[in-house]
């Protein structure tokens, strides 16, 4: 199984890329060898690392969040029909010996949906969908074989939708990167009759510096072959420049100050089910809001350093996500409490849990509390500074969800 070359930058107080480069430099100086892939990414990170700044919080770059808020809301807008409600389902029989029991997971999905809506599966379907919807299942394939969305969870969701009359051809499993979907097992052979779409491609060999041939992703006019997949009329703008080098363009399709939404979201999907996994990113989490915030648009690496967690609020505030993402199911069958957002077997553990919510911000607040407890239990140094959850409170101020623990109803079904 290939390891994803895509890397996401952790927030403050984690080992950041600058720290990594210092460590990498030390390693090289000590005679250790970095692979081409590692070196390329280290070089990219070096180019993207911000200049040293004086102590204190730097000002937040300007963004076009006001444009998002001007668009009238719909009946489907976040936080959906169950603001502040989070249902947690635990079954110790879900992953015996580390292998998924599909029947148990199917029962957990049914229990979670019923617990969220208070209705049968068939009636619950009508709470979120119509039979002519085009439903996108946003999975997280970043840690294939260890910490990616379990195929059996996706099976259970597809089974529910199909049993309620939604044609399988109206279901599309998607992520930003096509090769990651394949690595994680999301193929047409595994999911017959269901669409599989990546918003973009990336040439791994070119990204790793194994070839100077960029013809697989770069057109003669200098544009990325995946550029037509993004809607240049619908974008998240931030006053932060994307690097101009080819490795960055290979991974992010565009540079500059615009992060365009995928046309899959703006033109095709009418509803979205978000299926993140339970894992950390530094002292914060990389779950529901990050899965969609960094998965729906391109040109994102420029945003990590100055806007990291705010992106998890401001991208979902735009209508292609806000008015379509009706359900979130966080896959905590196997969870990871440290070493994220990339996979790290040292910190992964079987937890046999699934979490359900229409409100991704309440969901992430509950999961943040749970991962915090797990990190303490395992003796990991924990930083409980409010800045690691302030983005959730920011979302509540924008009317996108509930973040106040006193207002969240956490049901253990």
């Amino acid at each position: 199984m290939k390891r994803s070359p895509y890397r996401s930058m952790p927030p403050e107080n984690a080992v950041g890329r600058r720290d990594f480069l210092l460590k990498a430099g030390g390693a090289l100086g000590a005679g250790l060898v970095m692979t081409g892939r590692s070196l390329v990414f280290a070089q990219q990170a070096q180019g993207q690392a911000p200049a040293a700044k004086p102590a204190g919080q730097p000002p937040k770059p300007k963004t076009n969040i006001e444009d998002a808020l001007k668009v009238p809301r719909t009946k489907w807008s976040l936080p959906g029909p169950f603001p502040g409600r989070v249902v947690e389902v635990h079954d110790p029989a879900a992953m015996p010996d580390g292998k998924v029991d599909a029947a148990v997971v199917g029962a957990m999905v049914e229990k979670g949906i019923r617990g969220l809506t208070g209705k049968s599966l068939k009636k619950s379907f009508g709470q979120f969908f119509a039979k002519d919807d085009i439903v996108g299942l946003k999975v997280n394939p970043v840690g294939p074989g260890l910490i990616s969305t379990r195929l059996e969870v996706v099976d259970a969701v597809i089974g529910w939708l199909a049993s309620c009359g939604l044609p399988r051809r109206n279901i599309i499993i998607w992520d930003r990167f096509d090769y990651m979907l394949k690595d994680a097992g999301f193929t047409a052979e595994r999911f017959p009759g269901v669409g599989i779409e990546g918003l973009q491609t990336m040439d791994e060999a070119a990204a790793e510096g194994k070839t100077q041939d960029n013809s697989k992703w770069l057109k003669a006019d200098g544009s990325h072959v995946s550029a037509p997949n993004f809607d240049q009329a619908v974008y998240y703008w931030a006053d932060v420049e994307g690097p101009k080098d080819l490795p960055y363009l290979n991974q992010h399709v565009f540079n500059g100050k615009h992060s365009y939404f995928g046309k899959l979201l703006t033109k095709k999907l009418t509803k979205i089910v978000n299926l993140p996994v339970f894992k950390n990113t530094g002292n914060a989490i990389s779950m529901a809001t990050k899965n969609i915030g960094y998965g729906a648009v391109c040109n994102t690496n420029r945003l990590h350093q100055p806007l990291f967690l705010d992106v998890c609020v401001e991208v979902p505030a735009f209508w292609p996500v806000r008015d379509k993402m009706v359900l979130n199911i966080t896959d905590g069958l196997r969870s990871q409490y440290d070493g994220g957002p990339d996979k790290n077997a040292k910190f992964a553990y079987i937890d046999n849990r699934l979490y359900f919510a229409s409100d991704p911000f309440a969901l992430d607040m509950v999961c943040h509390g749970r991962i915090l407890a797990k990190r303490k239990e395992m003796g990991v140094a924990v930083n409980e500074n409010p800045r690691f959850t302030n983005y959730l409170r920011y979302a509540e101020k924008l009317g996108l969800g509930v973040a106040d623990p006193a207002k969240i109803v956490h049901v253990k079904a």
Side-chain angles (χ1 to χ4, degrees), residues 20-238:
F20 168 73
L21 287 167
L22 291 173
K23 294 175 186 295
L28 287 170
L32 299 179
V33 177
M34 297 179 73
T35 66
R37 177 179 298 188
S38 301
L39 186 57
V40 165
F41 276 91
Q43 290 167 342
Q44 289 183 32
Q46 193 169 27
Q48 296 161 27
K53 295 177 180 175
Q57 192 71 17
K60 175 182 171 180
K62 291 182 179 178
T63 73
N64 65 335
I65 181 61
E66 293 300 327
D67 291 342
L69 303 179
K70 290 176 184 174
V71 178
R73 302 169 68 86
T74 76
K75 63 175 289 189
W76 302 111
S77 297
L78 291 175
F82 306 102
R85 183 174 178 83
V86 179
V87 176
E88 175 184 341
V89 179
H90 179 223
D91 191 328
M95 287 192 70
D97 303 321
K99 295 182 179 179
V100 178
D101 186 320
V104 173
V105 169
M108 291 173 72
V109 169
E110 177 174 353
K111 194 173 186 179
I113 292 169
R114 290 168 64 100
L116 179 63
T117 66
K119 300 180 183 299
S120 68
L121 280 185
K122 191 168 290 291
K123 289 184 177 178
S124 295
F125 177 87
Q127 295 276 295
F128 305 112
F129 310 105
K131 292 181 180 178
D132 60 351
D133 270 327
I134 308 296
V135 179
L137 307 183
K138 172 63 178 78
V139 298
N140 187 316
V142 174
L146 185 75
I147 197 68
S148 55
T149 306
R150 295 284 139 190
L151 307 187
E152 294 82 0
V153 174
V154 178
D155 283 334
V157 174
I158 292 173
W160 168 45
L161 298 177
S163 71
C164 293
L166 188 75
R168 288 177 69 89
R169 63 177 180 277
N170 286 19
I171 301 171
I172 300 171
I173 299 169
W174 69 278
D175 182 62
R176 195 170 135 199
F177 293 94
D178 53 7
Y179 74 95
M180 289 191 186
L181 288 167
K182 184 178 180 181
D183 284 355
F186 296 104
T187 63
E189 294 75 19
R190 176 61 178 77
F191 293 92
V194 172
I196 312 286
E197 290 193 25
L199 298 186
Q200 68 168 93
T201 192
M202 183 180 86
D203 186 340
E204 292 180 271
E208 295 168 12
K210 293 178 179 176
T211 176
Q212 298 301 309
D213 178 7
N214 292 305
S215 61
K216 291 183 178 178
W217 68 272
L218 186 65
K219 296 168 67 173
D221 63 4
S223 66
H224 196 294
V225 295
S226 297
N229 297 348
F230 291 88
D231 190 338
Q232 295 189 49
V234 187
Y235 54 81
Y236 176 60
W237 177 89

